[in-house]
Amino acid sequence: MLIKKAPDIAASAITPKPWYLHRREFLQSTGLVAAAAVAGVLDTDDAAATPVGEPLTITKKLVTTTDALTPRQAITTYCNFYEYGADKSDPARNAAAFKPRPWSVSVEGHCAKPGVYTLEDVLKPHALEERVYRLRCVEGWSMVIPWVGFPLGDLLARFQPNGNATFVEFTTVERPREMAGQRQRFPTLLPWPYKEGLRMDEAMHPLTIIAVGLYGETLLNQNGAPLRLVVPWKYGFKSIKSIVRIRFVDKQPLNTWQEQVPNWYGFYANVNPAVDQVEWSQATERRIGEFLRRKTLMFNGYGDQVASMYAGMNLRRNY
Ligand SMILES: Nc1nc2c(c(=O)[nH]1)N[C@H]1C(S)=C(S)[C@@H](COP(=O)(O)O)O[C@H]1N2
Ligand SMILES: [Mo]
């Protein structure tokens, strides 16, 4: 459903409450005009066309930061998803024609239960949780997002990986007819399909989630519908979108950004303010919606939970 532009709404129509959990009811009771105000779409033409997802039922919440949430408008219109183009505004503008259903995920490699699973099969046993996480992009900006999803480890365990599965590789869908950016190839844009990987312990870590929604609703196409990773202690590029393949492998896989620019991006990509990427310092970040930059935290502030996985590793060399 598209919300049409509503230029003549008084600012007083905007609810100050955390409206998103009851968004659908609010929408029904007050109609489209108020809904546009609720969605915070009064500022720009772009945002006025932001579609709405389907409401999701959430059973638990894990809030990992006291920082304020980044507005829904920002996470749905300021995106990195090169399959739709390299500008932050391209995904929201170009993703409407993409069809995230029907969908299936191919599970391959070192496991007892490989196969092609429908989206419904993939999601069915998992209760959805809200996970409020900081997400830090290597470009120097960050957001705080209420994702909806479940632990990736719970999903992977169902496929019964064996002892040879030391890494997991993820692949994004390849549909150049629906994804304008994929009609440009490397060196213009990226070598498709987009790929990412995690070491097995990182993939099984309870903070690593498969996200199917944000702000209480299913993901919009520009945020990686119908399912994506969110790995909060790593730079955003590890959080691969619109996943169609999960492969258990016995070697460290080559991720797309490392393949593209090896001296800029590593495999681990743990947020590390002490290691600058060639183009951007990683010491500070700009929280979207804020003016002053803040200091970037080691492991994006999740060190207590994840640092032990890297004990003894040189995190300057393994960036
Ligand atoms: N398939 C795919 N996944 C991707 C990207 C991409 O270009 N293609 N961009 C990554 C980068 S650089 C970031 S910062 C996050 C951004 O997620 P968001 O737009 O939902 O905030 O998605 C990541 N996942
Ligand atoms: Mo990013």
Side-chain angles (χ1 to χ4, degrees):
M1 170 189 144
L2 280 181
I3 293 190
K4 296 270 159 42
K5 197 180 175 201
D8 53 357
I9 305 162
S12 60
I14 300 172
T15 170
K17 291 265 173 339
W19 46 267
Y20 53 88
L21 292 176
H22 306 289
R23 186 185 170 78
R24 189 50 52 120
E25 293 89 305
F26 191 83
L27 231 139
Q28 280 159 0
S29 63
T30 57
L32 273 186
V33 172
V38 170
V41 297
L42 300 177
D43 305 337
T44 67
D45 284 354
D46 258 11
T50 302
V52 176
E54 295 300 318
L56 292 166
T57 304
I58 294 161
T59 60
K60 294 201 251 189
K61 293 191 185 200
L62 179 69
V63 178
T64 67
T65 171
T66 52
D67 297 351
L69 296 183
T70 303
R72 177 183 183 275
Q73 182 183 317
I75 181 64
T76 56
T77 59
Y78 186 89
C79 302
N80 263 341
F81 201 168
Y82 275 45
E83 281 81 344
Y84 296 112
D87 284 353
K88 300 278 171 289
S89 58
D90 283 339
R93 216 160 347 115
N94 296 336
F98 183 76
K99 295 194 180 56
R101 279 179 188 72
W103 193 266
S104 58
V105 178
S106 172
V107 176
E108 303 172 11
H110 299 294
C111 66
K113 304 235 149 117
V116 176
Y117 294 84
T118 66
L119 181 66
E120 293 69 27
D121 285 343
V122 168
L123 303 185
K124 198 171 174 195
H126 302 282
L128 295 181
E129 304 172 27
E130 183 166 86
R131 292 283 182 101
V132 176
Y133 283 164
R134 291 179 293 268
L135 189 75
R136 170 67 157 75
C137 179
V138 77
E139 294 165 346
W141 49 268
S142 63
M143 300 193 193
V144 177
I145 302 300
W147 300 103
V148 181
F150 57 88
L152 171 67
D154 292 352
L155 176 66
L156 297 186
R158 288 169 54 200
F159 308 127
Q160 300 174 15
N162 62 40
N164 292 325
T166 49
F167 290 87
V168 196
E169 181 195 69
F170 304 88
T171 308
T172 293
V173 71
E174 198 169 10
R175 285 195 206 160
R177 291 175 64 184
E178 292 173 37
M179 300 175 122
Q182 285 184 339
R183 300 198 285 270
Q184 302 170 49
R185 294 205 78 90
F186 177 81
T188 331
L189 217 43
L190 286 177
W192 311 114
Y194 192 99
K195 284 194 234 132
E196 257 308 335
L198 294 172
R199 207 172 60 191
M200 203 60 190
D201 58 337
E202 300 177 320
M204 299 306 289
H205 192 282
L207 282 178
T208 304
I209 58 167
I210 288 277
V212 297
L214 55 81
Y215 270 108
E217 297 178 342
T218 52
L219 291 173
L220 300 183
N221 292 339
Q222 56 263 42
N223 294 114
L227 80 171
R228 65 173 293 173
L229 287 191
V230 180
V231 193
W233 70 94
K234 293 178 180 283
Y235 292 115
F237 67 85
K238 298 296 285 185
S239 292
I240 183 174
K241 297 175 170 181
S242 304
I243 296 167
V244 289
R245 190 169 65 200
I246 297 176
R247 183 150 56 188
F248 296 101
V249 295
D250 50 25
K251 284 196 257 336
Q252 182 176 305
L254 191 62
N255 49 317
T256 294
W257 279 108
Q258 196 190 359
E259 181 181 1
Q260 171 85 319
V261 208
N263 60 327
W264 282 18
Y265 303 100
F267 174 79
Y268 282 95
N270 291 319
V271 173
N272 187 346
V275 178
D276 286 348
Q277 190 254 21
V278 174
E279 191 169 352
W280 300 285
S281 160
Q282 300 302 334
T284 65
E285 66 199 63
R286 189 173 74 84
R287 182 66 47 80
I288 297 299
E290 291 180 358
F291 182 68
L292 295 173
R293 295 182 74 85
R294 34 167 96 214
K295 281 204 163 107
T296 287
L297 302 172
M298 186 66 198
F299 296 116
N300 204 21
Y302 296 98
D304 287 351
Q305 287 79 35
V306 303
S308 63
M309 287 193 291
Y310 309 102
M313 268 177 83
N314 180 338
L315 294 176
R316 274 189 172 273
R317 201 157 43 81
N318 296 291
Y319 55 89

